[in-house]
Amino acid sequence: MKKWNVATVRAAKGVKKLGCVTSYDSAFARLADEAGVPIILVGDSMGMTMLGYSTTLPVKMSETLSATAAVARVAKNAMVVADLPFGSYQCGEDEAMKNAVLCMQAGADAVKLEGATERVCHLIKRMVEAGIPVLAHIGLMPQSVNQLGGFKKQGKTREAADQVMRDAKAVEEAGAFAVTLECIPSELAAEITAALKITTVGIGAGGVCDAQWLVMHDLLGLNESAPSFAKKYADLATIVRNAFATYVSEVENSVFP
């Protein structure tokens, strides 16, 4: 199987829908890669799924780089995208460029960042010009959760929907090869997908996008408070909990070893 890259992701638009996931370590990334997942996102969602934070905001650049390197070591076919954490690109362009370069040096094939302001779009353009592919992110942006007033669906009014559409066109013009559409109405996601030449990756945006994200812990049933739009394909929380409990019981009762 040929490794997924910017060109193959672009070529899939309108031809093949892509089921993409997050992963944060080599064990699960290897399994996702062997299963044929085309894009693995080393998401800042690790803050909530792996590190015990209530939001993504406390995730550090060092944590992102460590996780990216672990995933990249085993992803033979999947495209690895590193999520630039909060603070890594908000404190100046040079700092943002340095952190994007560090992600690529850690093994990422592309980086992801949130927003479509003039400053963010300029960053996207500069990164792309430097040879760093960028996957944009609009709609609900978890790094802006305090400004947005919580994890709320975006683009519900016509005015808000028009702004999301403008954001989508802005990141495409800036040079992003794909854009995440998070938690927006499916009708709006359909309009954006039809209007853009680049790939749209939906999460909580209905089934009309060119690709989908699922957080690994939601997909595998490890997160027992997953959002309503997520589908659970396994119940690993129950399996793992029972395995731990059985082990403890067997040791207590001298069954093992």
Side-chain angles (χ1 to χ4, degrees):
M1 183 183 297
K2 187 175 181 181
K3 184 172 174 66
W4 284 87
N5 54 44
V6 169
T8 53
V9 170
R10 284 174 170 161
K13 184 177 177 74
V15 177
K16 177 182 181 180
K17 291 198 173 187
L18 308 179
C20 310
V21 302
T22 65
S23 186
Y24 322 95
D25 61 35
S26 61
F28 281 106
R30 177 179 61 82
L31 296 174
D33 188 65
E34 291 174 353
V37 171
I39 306 176
I40 297 176
L41 172 66
V42 185
D44 61 1
S45 50
M46 78 173 81
M48 303 167 77
T49 60
M50 301 286 287
L51 303 176
Y53 301 132
S54 60
T55 71
T56 66
L57 299 181
V59 176
K60 300 175 181 62
M61 194 67 209
S62 59
E63 293 165 334
T64 294
L65 294 174
S66 178
T68 298
V71 170
R73 289 186 193 108
V74 299
K76 306 302 181 185
N77 300 308
M79 183 180 195
V80 177
V81 179
D83 214 348
L84 288 171
F86 181 74
S88 66
Y89 59 97
Q90 287 89 349
C91 298
E93 284 191 18
D94 290 342
E95 181 74 9
M97 290 298 297
K98 182 189 78 172
N99 288 325
V101 168
L102 288 173
C103 286
M104 301 298 285
Q105 291 176 332
D109 301 303
V111 299
K112 184 173 82 65
L113 70 167
E114 297 180 6
T117 63
E118 183 177 349
R119 180 188 61 80
V120 172
C121 286
H122 188 267
L123 267 180
I124 293 172
K125 183 177 181 180
R126 186 173 170 185
M127 288 177 184
V128 172
E129 288 176 346
I132 302 172
V134 176
L135 197 158
H137 184 144
I138 62 174
L140 173 61
M141 294 173 286
Q143 292 180 11
S144 300
V145 63
N146 291 327
Q147 186 175 9
L148 296 174
F151 295 96
K152 301 176 181 179
K153 179 168 283 192
Q154 303 297 302
K156 292 193 292 184
T157 67
R158 188 67 257 173
E159 181 180 3
D162 288 344
Q163 182 59 57
V164 177
M165 175 66 81
R166 287 193 292 271
D167 290 345
K169 291 180 177 179
V171 297
E172 177 179 57
E173 185 176 350
F177 74 92
V179 57
T180 292
L181 307 178
E182 180 166 359
C183 207
I184 64 173
S186 58
E187 298 82 5
L188 175 57
E191 291 177 20
I192 293 172
T193 299
L196 299 188
K197 294 179 180 178
I198 63 174
T199 299
T200 59
V201 191
I203 179 166
V208 294
C209 296
D210 300 307
Q212 294 290 326
W213 290 125
L214 263 186
V215 171
M216 181 191 81
H217 287 66
D218 298 342
L219 184 156
L220 297 178
L222 289 166
N223 177 13
E224 295 179 292
S225 57
S228 59
F229 61 76
K231 181 175 180 178
K232 183 169 71 172
Y233 287 83
D235 186 11
L236 294 196
T238 297
I239 293 171
V240 172
R241 187 184 295 112
N242 289 343
F244 283 137
T246 300
Y247 163 68
V248 170
S249 176
E250 288 192 359
V251 170
E252 288 176 348
N253 292 286
S254 299
V255 175
F256 176 86

